[in-house]
Amino acid sequence: MYTLSEWQQICSKISKRKIVTSNVIDAFRKISVPGGELSKTLIIKHDVECRPDLALKCAQIEHDQGITATYYFHGFFNQTPEHVEIMQRIQSLGHEVGFHYDVLDLCDGDYIKANALFSKTLEDFRLNGINIYSICPHGNPLKVRCGWNSNKDFFKDVDIANSYPHLFDIVNGVNVFDNVDYYSDAGYALKSIGDIRDNDKPSDQIDVKVSLDEVLDKDSVSILSVHTHRLCESKLVLRFVKARFGILRFSARLLSKSKFIKKLLSPLYTLTKRF
């Protein structure tokens, strides 16, 4: 992960190298028209999680460098006026605001309840002046599931997806982009994700650590996913939060080996958004 100043340097490098950047929905719309295609393009997306204030700082940095990106917000941010204002400000900077959904987990796998919650949340965004066009599923590593693999399953349901024809799911629909590479810093290390659509299931594909320069040198369409809540003000703070994350992840994996303890931890799954 990066400090804010490092992210500013990265954005400056992208700008100086004249790398074409795009938010998610603009890239999707470009290839959706007859004859539409993308040459080398860096599609930048951010999962905001728990720190909208850091997302706004990141959005301003990108705006100053002529970079556009997509910021995926959880639905609960619609309930707090200061967070609504941040979403509106990010949108006013030319970025896209999308919905970071985890409705299946929140509704314990009940698709009917999940769909109702999803629809209501879209309306909450709309009433706050945010029109949602692209969405991204959120992973909850502590959640114990029975009957569904992850929140990705929600929009894999054909009837549900067809009822929202104006929405594009960047994870489930990633293959609409030809020869696309998906990179994420989800575990505090930048990795090339083997199959983002199904990496919640057992697979032969492995994620490989990469450098940012490798990503920027790619001559095709790339998706770069950066979690803005992990951008830190200083290197010292960054070292601390990375160490804390490592300890918590190791502890959770160790404790989860016990089915009993795993069930006890499951109700705490929403706390993972903080890390």
Side-chain angles (χ1 to χ4, degrees):
M1 255 323 291
Y2 316 102
T3 64
L4 282 167
S5 62
E6 286 174 333
W7 186 248
Q8 187 171 28
Q9 292 167 12
I10 290 167
C11 289
S12 178
K13 180 186 291 188
I14 291 171
S15 181
K16 287 177 180 177
R17 291 178 57 175
K18 301 187 185 306
I19 295 172
V20 177
T21 63
S22 177
N23 61 38
V24 170
I25 197 59
D26 284 349
F28 174 68
R29 286 171 175 167
K30 187 171 181 179
I31 65 167
S32 297
V33 298
E37 61 179 3
L38 291 176
S39 53
K40 178 178 178 177
T41 303
L42 183 64
I43 302 171
I44 301 176
K45 63 173 283 285
H46 299 295
D47 297 345
V48 175
E49 307 303 1
C50 64
R51 291 288 304 273
D53 56 318
L54 288 175
L56 180 57
K57 290 180 179 180
C58 185
Q60 186 65 59
I61 288 171
E62 291 165 347
H63 172 76
D64 292 344
Q65 295 292 341
I67 292 170
T68 58
T70 296
Y71 286 77
Y72 288 109
F73 280 82
H74 290 286
F76 58 77
F77 286 120
N78 285 291
Q79 312 309 318
T80 310
E82 66 218 57
H83 294 155
V84 171
E85 183 181 357
I86 286 176
M87 290 191 291
Q88 292 169 341
R89 288 176 65 185
I90 288 176
Q91 186 172 255
S92 72
L93 289 171
H95 302 294
E96 177 195 8
V97 172
F99 178 20
H100 200 28
Y101 68 92
D102 58 347
V103 291
L104 264 187
D105 283 352
L106 291 172
C107 296
D108 289 323
D110 187 319
Y111 280 80
I112 294 175
K113 289 182 180 178
N115 196 20
L117 177 59
F118 187 86
S119 180
K120 178 186 179 302
T121 306
L122 290 179
E123 180 65 7
D124 290 342
F125 277 112
R126 188 190 68 80
L127 291 173
N128 285 324
I130 307 293
N131 291 314
I132 300 297
Y133 297 108
S134 79
I135 59 177
C136 178
H138 171 71
N140 291 305
L142 291 182
K143 180 70 176 180
V144 174
R145 302 178 179 91
C146 182
W148 77 106
N149 288 302
S150 71
N151 289 296
K152 298 175 188 178
D153 288 358
F154 177 72
F155 228 67
K156 284 179 181 175
D157 184 287
V158 175
D159 291 334
I160 288 174
N162 288 340
S163 65
Y164 301 99
H166 66 294
L167 295 181
F168 173 62
D169 188 318
I170 183 57
V171 168
N172 284 314
V174 69
N175 278 358
V176 301
F177 301 106
D178 290 334
N179 301 315
V180 66
D181 295 296
Y182 195 106
Y183 302 96
S184 175
D185 68 347
Y188 276 92
L190 190 60
K191 293 181 180 180
S192 173
I193 309 300
D195 185 358
I196 189 63
R197 297 167 306 162
D198 290 309
N199 66 342
D200 54 323
K201 303 174 185 176
S203 172
D204 293 334
Q205 298 194 45
I206 58 173
D207 301 337
V208 180
K209 286 186 179 181
V210 296
S211 70
L212 189 63
D213 283 332
E214 289 179 77
V215 177
L216 300 185
D217 287 340
K218 275 285 182 178
D219 212 18
S220 57
V221 178
S222 298
I223 298 170
L224 177 62
S225 180
V226 173
H227 292 69
T228 54
H229 69 297
R230 292 173 177 167
L231 296 174
C232 298
E233 298 284 355
S234 71
K235 278 284 191 183
L236 183 62
V237 175
L238 180 58
R239 290 193 188 99
F240 169 76
V241 296
K242 285 180 71 173
R244 181 183 63 182
F245 175 81
I247 292 169
L248 289 172
R249 182 170 61 175
F250 174 80
S251 300
R253 286 177 175 174
L254 186 65
L255 292 171
S256 294
K257 291 181 179 181
S258 164
K259 291 183 179 180
F260 174 72
I261 295 178
K262 191 173 183 178
K263 286 185 178 181
L264 289 180
L265 291 175
S266 183
L268 304 176
Y269 72 90
T270 57
L271 295 178
T272 59
K273 295 182 177 74
R274 299 179 179 272
F275 305 100

